[in-house]
Amino acid sequence: MAPPAIDFRKKRFLVVDDQPLARESLRAIAQTAGAFSVDLATGYQDAIFRIRNNVPDIILCDYMLGDGRSGQQLLEELRRFDLLPDDTIFMMVTGEQSYEQVVAAVELVPDDYIIKPFSPDKLILRLERVAAKKEFFAPFFRAKRRGDYPQALALLAANRDSEGGHTYRFELLRQEAELHIATGNAPQAEATYRGILDRYEFPWARAGVARALQRQNRLSEARSEIEKAIAGAAHYFDAADLKANICMAQGEHDEAQRVLEAIARRTPRNYLRKRLLAQAAELNGDAEAARAAMADVIANDTMPGAVSTEDQLALARTQVAAGDAIAAEKVLLLLRESEIMALPLPSQASFAALLAIASPEKGRSRFAGLRPALLAVELPPSVRLDVLQAALAGGDGELAEKQAQALLAGDDSRLVFNRMRQLFSLYDGDPLFREIQRRVALQRIGRGETDAGAAGVGEATAAP
Amino acid sequence: MHRLLDVLASGVHDAKNQLFYAEAQIAAAEAAHGLDLAEARYAIEAAAGRLSRTLAAYRLLRDEARLAVVPAVVADLCEEVALDQRKHLARAGLTLDVACTVRDEWALDRDLVADILNNAIQNASRHARSRIRLSAGEADGSLCLRVEDDGCGFADTDPAAHGIGLLVAARIAELHRRQERHGSLRLCNGGEFGGAVLELRLP
């Protein structure tokens, strides 16, 4: 065999495995392959700690890490916190047939995976392949990291007809599609994913089509595409997250919650999913489930910096929804003034609104101070719901109307409709709500919009 | 019945971990003492391959098999199979030629296809006089993988006549689908070396 193209003596390896024997085996194989420096991690937390402190060049990670954790989760978490430099190699090691199913389905894949048992020679061969691929894509990744998307796209286009462009034709298309999504060019992303599907029905590409359609607000098409992706891949949990997001945008919060609960039971330590579940449950009117999910996130998402001020606001929101003003007040008052002032205006508005609901005495003046801004600026739907509730609770009809109108007239009206109706009902505002609906519907008809948009708008105009 | 499959899969998984431990120990001993125990490692990997194949066969027979299709570089796949087999064949006085003319990545179940090729080469080695050839090319929009030898050829070219291994291989080929087309496995005689030919076509 030709001498290795990589000088493994200079590379720092990290072996991640919870089983001592397996860890030793991996170390022995890596050393036989020429590795000099091989660090060992006994599991998920230990791996994160080591990678944070000293990024290895090559990670050999077993798929089964024990303690409810998997190598796939570790990979997702490392990418989420951007702890892996582009040239670090992440190689999943598996004796599991089921991991092959995962890697075939999901969008976020390791650089490669290798099935036990394997020889040092085979490991060398695989690592060299990965290194060559990384070198091929290096200029592209550099451009992408710089945020120079036109240059990144140009590099992909230039590579397509090169020798490597044949070797990596699917990867080039996948990167191109992801870049189109990142730059907001959903129609082009859709076309690129469909081009991949013409060659093979990869679940990740089908999900890509669904995501691109969702971005174009073509929700029922997106829904049918994501159902196809899920039907083709039982292990594709991220597809369920996307489905839940689409369901919520369609106003089907019960289905979103059901889907997320089913997957969350199988991935109990995926806290991004728990956050999404909290949102779905809250929109679905299941305040207790929302509260439990957010409490779990805040207690157990142990990555440093993982739990944000926004998460604390989300927890307080679920407590307010569950009618537990005391708990909400406690969470809100634990936030430091400096943290609050560092938040963007919409989050400050949520903070002020939630505090005004939980503790009118302590929150009223801050909320009043923001009132002129809240009447004037654009706000995300979740923030408008907070402001709406605070306005209803404080008897500020004008502010409440303003928020409700904006929500009903916006693209996300289905997302928030149920919750809005519940809030008006909670504060004896049903007649006002119907009146606002009627006005928004009339405005739409006045503008010649045939599709009244929100399911609820049609409902309301038909109401007596 | 799902339980039984889980029990079997977990047993195979544990056994493969044990085999990996054995292989790692052997590799370390080779490096430390300048030994060549490639045949022992070959036997270990063959045993692991056999375990995986048995589990795959069980899944296929129960119609529970699912492919794990990933984009794979065909030349790399061929080279890996050659890496697994070449030393062992050399001990038996056989040479293995590899010829790959496919430049593009192909969507296939990398591990099951590699296993089929490994198995085919092992079979060929029992009948070959001196040479075996592994080739990859494109024909009619399909990937065409062939294992040929210079032996006296198949007495029966029906895969079903050759036991479970080839039946499983034929089923795996068939599970590879693209649009309306599906893969196939064919046995014939002749080819480059005039002996047995196994041809795997994947759309």
Side-chain angles (χ1 to χ4, degrees), chain A residues 351-389:
Chain A
F351 174 82
L354 291 167
L355 189 60
I357 303 161
S359 169
E361 223 168 286
K362 291 178 183 145
R364 197 181 292 130
S365 67
R366 181 189 285 267
F367 187 64
L370 285 173
R371 189 178 185 275
L374 299 178
L375 282 167
V377 299
E378 280 302 314
L379 296 168
S382 63
V383 176
R384 284 206 189 275
L385 284 175
D386 294 338
V387 174
L388 171 64
Q389 184 171 0

Side-chain angles (χ1 to χ4, degrees), chain A residues 1 21-22 24-26 28-29 32 62 64 93-98 100-101 103-105 112-122 125-126 129 133 161-163 165-172 174 197-202 204 231-235, chain B residues 9-10 12-13 16-25 27-28 30-31 41 44-45 48-49 52 55-56 59 65-73 75-77 79-80 83-84 87 103-112 118 175-179 203:
Chain A
M1 195 173 151
L21 269 190
E24 282 309 317
S25 305
L26 278 172
I29 291 281
T32 313
D62 198 84
M64 311 260 268
V93 177
T94 169
E96 273 290 287
Q97 243 86 15
S98 69
E100 298 161 51
Q101 303 286 342
V103 86
D112 199 1
Y113 65 97
I114 189 165
I115 296 179
K116 289 190 275 191
F118 54 87
S119 64
D121 287 350
K122 186 173 241 168
L125 192 70
R126 287 285 180 90
R129 296 276 163 61
K133 185 171 178 181
D161 300 315
S162 70
E163 187 64 31
H166 282 275
T167 310
Y168 306 125
R169 61 175 177 164
F170 286 112
E171 185 64 21
L172 280 165
R174 187 201 285 242
L197 288 172
D198 283 343
R199 292 176 193 172
Y200 192 78
E201 179 69 43
F202 292 109
W204 52 266
H235 297 81
Chain B
S10 131
V12 167
H13 177 246
K16 284 169 77 178
N17 268 329
Q18 293 288 326
L19 289 169
F20 183 52
Y21 181 55
E23 177 159 17
Q25 295 285 307
E30 283 179 290
R41 287 195 286 104
I44 284 172
E45 291 192 22
S52 302
L55 189 61
R59 284 207 172 98
R66 277 209 149 157
L67 299 184
V69 174
V70 293
V73 179
D76 293 354
L77 177 73
E79 200 186 322
E80 261 184 41
L83 178 71
D84 283 345
K87 264 194 180 169
R103 288 197 302 167
D104 289 353
E105 255 181 327
W106 211 273
L108 48 79
D109 188 316
R110 189 174 68 172
D111 301 298
L112 289 179
N118 274 314
L175 282 173
H176 279 84
R177 291 188 184 170
R178 184 156 77 95
Q179 284 145 9

